[in-house]
Amino acid sequence: MVVVIKKDSPPTAIKDAMKAIEEDRATRKGFDAKKYAGKIKFPVDGLTYQKQVRDEWE
């Protein structure tokens, strides 16, 4: 969300903009990345896979 506040805006306009930002944050649903942390099990080691993929370029 972007809020543009002009230099000569009255203090009430700034307070209204801040209130709108807070309301937007309260209604927005977030993504819980911690829920999925460590859930994917890879069959190979990450470094081994990286070396294998880079060797394919040659």
Side-chain angles (χ1 to χ4, degrees), residues 1-54:
M1 175 178 200
V2 175
V3 178
V4 178
I5 301 173
K6 295 184 180 180
K7 191 174 185 179
D8 56 346
S9 297
T12 57
I14 297 171
K15 288 180 183 178
D16 291 341
M18 293 295 289
K19 185 177 179 182
I21 291 171
E22 289 300 320
E23 288 175 358
D24 184 54
R25 279 190 191 156
T27 59
R28 196 180 287 188
K29 292 183 180 179
F31 174 73
D32 185 18
K34 291 181 182 179
K35 178 179 174 182
Y36 300 102
K39 298 292 182 182
I40 299 175
K41 302 295 182 196
F42 291 109
V44 294
D45 179 49
L47 185 59
T48 307
Y49 175 75
Q50 184 179 18
K51 287 180 180 179
Q52 177 186 359
V53 172
R54 286 185 179 177

